[in-house]
Amino acid sequence: VVSGQKIWISTARVANKVLLLARTTPLDKVKKKTDGLSLFYTDFDRKKIEVREIPKMGRHAVDSNMVYFDNVEIPATDLIGREGDGFKQILHGMNPERILVAAEAIGIGRAALGKASKYARERVVFGRPIGQNQGIQHPLAQAWMQLEAANLMVYKAATLYDKGEECGVESNAAKYLAGEAAFHACQTAMMSMGGMGFAKEYHVERYLRESFIPRIAPISPHLIMNYIAERVLDLPRSY
Ligand SMILES: Cc1cc2nc3c(=O)[nH]c(=O)nc-3n(C[C@H](O)[C@H](O)[C@H](O)COP(=O)(O)OP(=O)(O)OC[C@H]3O[C@@H](n4cnc5c(N)ncnc54)[C@H](O)[C@@H]3O)c2cc1C
């Protein structure tokens, strides 16, 4: 019987099923906080689970929601794997999710740079295309290099994952680098296009809005820096 709430649940307005991590052994009866959680794949019955949609600035292709479980019964047959081992199981999905979101960020950044470069080639001011000015060229070139360097980390993480090797550090680093590079590329593209960067017709304003998602989710840049500082550089834990 599950009670609890969670914010930012994608597609809860349309989903038929939910992957749910719930505490099944109380905190005072486990050695580690991550023990005693169990994973379920169960029916998402909106008659029993309350869903409230969150109005938001982008990512309109999917709904985002707050969900509330109040004594919702879940059959034991919907348990995935072993009771109490849910956290270890859900970790398997977290690295590929980071790699996927990083790759998405690279795509958004490349799309923005493509639009800005085209604009800079075609837009003529005072008798010459604005793209002939190094003040326009350099920021775009810099954004391209940052994006492609981040993409190498995405491929490194994906290669390790495909080989079944440990890839937590690389997946987190890829998500961080790609998210930041994409945001920078979108912002640079927008500023290179002047007023037209702001116009919906050119889509760059939309890419800029979308670039915030791979920065914020599924883990924030700050928590990735904590992870790298503590797991790679062996600095004292912040929690
Ligand atoms: C559009 C969208 C869709 C999403 N979809 C899903 C989904 O489907 N499923 C799901 O589970 N989640 C989803 N999320 C949630 C997302 O993963 C979280 O919003 C994200 O991980 C940040 O957590 P938070 O919002 O709880 O931030 P908070 O924990 O409230 O943190 C606020 C800020 O403080 C910073 N901060 C916190 N602690 C520290 C620290 N120790 N040091 C430095 N800075 C710190 C954070 O980095 C962040 O910038 C979605 C979010 C969005 C915006």
Side-chain angles (χ1 to χ4, degrees):
V1 177
V2 173
S3 292
Q5 49 187 275
K6 170 80 177 78
I7 194 170
W8 289 115
I9 295 301
S10 303
T11 72
R13 293 188 76 78
V14 289
N16 299 320
K17 292 279 185 181
V18 60
L19 189 63
L20 178 81
L21 186 68
R23 176 157 297 284
T24 44
T25 308
L27 261 180
D28 57 7
K29 299 234 162 47
V30 291
K31 279 201 211 114
K32 278 193 294 173
K33 274 194 282 189
T34 47
D35 290 344
L37 297 162
S38 301
L39 196 58
F40 299 90
Y41 185 61
T42 194
D43 289 339
F44 193 82
D45 184 348
R46 271 175 290 278
K47 284 192 223 82
K48 296 180 188 154
I49 304 163
E50 190 188 340
V51 176
R52 285 193 220 152
E53 192 165 358
I54 306 168
K56 57 189 196 287
M57 74 182 264
R59 192 54 55 99
H60 295 304
V62 290
D63 52 279
S64 301
N65 308 278
M66 295 186 263
V67 298
Y68 300 86
F69 289 69
D70 187 12
N71 290 321
V72 178
E73 278 184 36
I74 295 180
T77 47
D78 288 352
L79 176 75
I80 298 182
R82 285 219 320 259
E83 185 183 333
D85 268 355
F87 189 76
K88 272 185 234 143
Q89 290 161 9
I90 213 163
L91 277 182
H92 279 287
M94 286 189 173
N95 288 329
E97 185 186 22
R98 276 158 213 200
I99 299 168
L100 176 95
V101 168
E104 171 200 330
I106 300 291
I108 293 173
R110 283 180 178 164
L113 289 187
K115 293 274 183 199
S117 303
K118 183 171 186 293
Y119 186 83
R121 284 190 297 272
E122 292 172 359
R123 166 77 170 146
V124 174
V125 179
F126 300 127
R128 51 195 263 149
I130 57 166
Q132 210 171 343
N133 302 319
Q134 288 170 344
I136 293 287
Q137 289 180 355
H138 288 186
L140 290 171
Q142 188 189 40
W144 182 89
M145 290 187 278
Q146 288 172 351
L147 212 49
E148 295 307 314
N151 195 39
L152 291 178
M153 186 61 89
V154 179
Y155 272 90
K156 184 175 180 189
T159 304
L160 290 171
Y161 178 76
D162 282 347
K163 287 205 275 185
E165 291 179 18
E166 187 52 57
C167 62
V169 168
E170 291 77 8
S171 305
N172 275 289
K175 208 290 285 186
Y176 175 90
L177 292 169
E180 299 308 301
F183 172 70
H184 180 243
C186 290
Q187 190 184 39
T188 305
M190 191 155 183
M191 295 311 287
S192 306
M193 294 171 70
M196 285 306 154
F198 210 66
K200 285 204 179 289
E201 184 188 343
Y202 286 84
H203 297 285
V204 170
E205 58 81 29
R206 177 166 69 85
Y207 301 151
L208 179 64
R209 281 187 283 125
E210 290 297 314
S211 76
F212 278 97
I213 303 295
R215 289 186 90 198
I216 297 170
I219 178 173
S220 72
H222 317 105
L223 292 203
I224 293 179
M225 286 188 279
N226 290 354
Y227 177 86
I228 298 294
E230 292 160 20
R231 304 296 172 91
V232 181
L233 304 176
D234 203 21
L235 297 174
R237 295 271 168 106
S238 56
Y239 57 89

